[in-house]
Amino acid sequence: RICTTPRAGSGINYHRIMKTKIIHAATAALFLAASILPADAQTAAQILDRGIAKYQAHQYDAAIADFNDFLKREPNSAVGWYNRGLAHYARTLQSQTKEGYRRAEADFSQAIRLDPKQAAYFMMRGYVHTKLMIVDNARSRPQAIADLSQAIRLDPKLAEAHRGRGYVYKEIHSLQNALTDLNNAIRL
């Protein structure tokens, strides 16, 4: 029997299920539309959108290839560098290579050079540095704190930046700072 309406207390989030189905359908439609157009007829925006859709579908290598194509056309797009950095970061979370994190760091750094007012760019570069702390403790810690602090200055309500900086403070045994940041993250 197919249930089309949620029952109280069923524990099933029908809204989330339908939202997920809609996202998958939209992603499939975007892939189909992109495959119909010849590569030279696609606009930079279409290539960027296709890369984002592939990223959302966890197809990180394909997303990186699309972001590379986009950046050939729009090398001064902070959004392009940021999105490619996200794809490198997500792919590297699976393989945990220092080189992958360095690629993500370089892309986020380029996005920051092009648009230094975006808190998310600093936050993600700070996250890369927190991952690199495992490899090169002393070098990446101050960079992680600096980037996450800048993200918080740009957007004080960015809970993820407070959480990330709280983690770094915990790792360096600055427990009062860690507690303050983690409580802020929870509050936000």
Side-chain angles (χ1 to χ4, degrees):
R1 188 178 120 193
I2 298 174
C3 179
T4 57
T5 58
R7 292 182 310 227
S10 68
I12 300 172
N13 187 333
Y14 288 93
H15 176 70
R16 185 183 322 165
I17 292 169
M18 291 309 296
K19 184 177 176 184
T20 301
K21 287 181 180 182
I22 291 168
I23 289 170
H24 288 305
T27 301
L30 185 60
F31 284 144
L32 177 62
S35 66
I36 293 171
L37 287 173
D40 59 344
Q42 294 176 7
T43 67
Q46 288 169 323
I47 294 169
L48 179 66
D49 288 344
R50 187 179 65 210
I52 292 169
K54 289 177 181 176
Y55 170 81
Q56 291 172 337
H58 306 284
Q59 297 174 1
Y60 304 123
D61 290 328
I64 290 168
D66 283 340
F67 295 136
N68 288 340
D69 289 345
F70 173 78
L71 288 167
K72 286 178 189 171
R73 294 176 185 217
E74 299 287 337
N76 293 321
S77 169
V79 170
W81 291 102
Y82 173 72
N83 278 291
R84 191 174 78 175
L86 287 176
H88 278 299
Y89 182 76
R91 182 179 67 181
T92 305
L93 286 175
Q94 297 172 340
S95 63
Q96 298 289 319
T97 65
K98 183 177 179 179
E99 296 77 25
Y101 288 126
R102 292 287 181 214
R103 283 188 205 104
E105 175 189 28
D107 285 349
F108 293 136
S109 293
Q110 182 62 20
I112 289 167
R113 277 190 284 283
L114 293 167
D115 188 359
K117 302 239 185 259
Q118 296 299 320
Y121 300 173
F122 284 98
M123 183 187 72
M124 287 309 302
R125 191 171 70 179
Y127 275 16
V128 168
H129 290 299
T130 62
K131 292 297 186 179
L132 287 169
M133 283 175 17
I134 297 166
V135 180
D136 62 6
N137 286 327
R139 189 171 86 89
S140 292
R141 284 179 182 167
Q143 292 170 326
I145 291 171
D147 280 340
L148 293 164
S149 295
Q150 181 62 17
I152 292 166
R153 275 191 290 281
L154 291 169
D155 185 355
K157 294 183 180 182
L158 191 59
E160 296 89 352
H162 287 276
R163 181 176 49 97
R165 191 173 70 177
Y167 168 79
V168 176
Y169 281 139
K170 178 188 78 72
E171 290 298 306
I172 63 172
H173 306 289
S174 180
L175 300 181
Q176 187 57 48
N177 287 331
L179 189 58
T180 299
D181 272 341
L182 295 172
N183 280 331
N184 283 336
I186 291 168
R187 183 178 47 78
L188 295 172

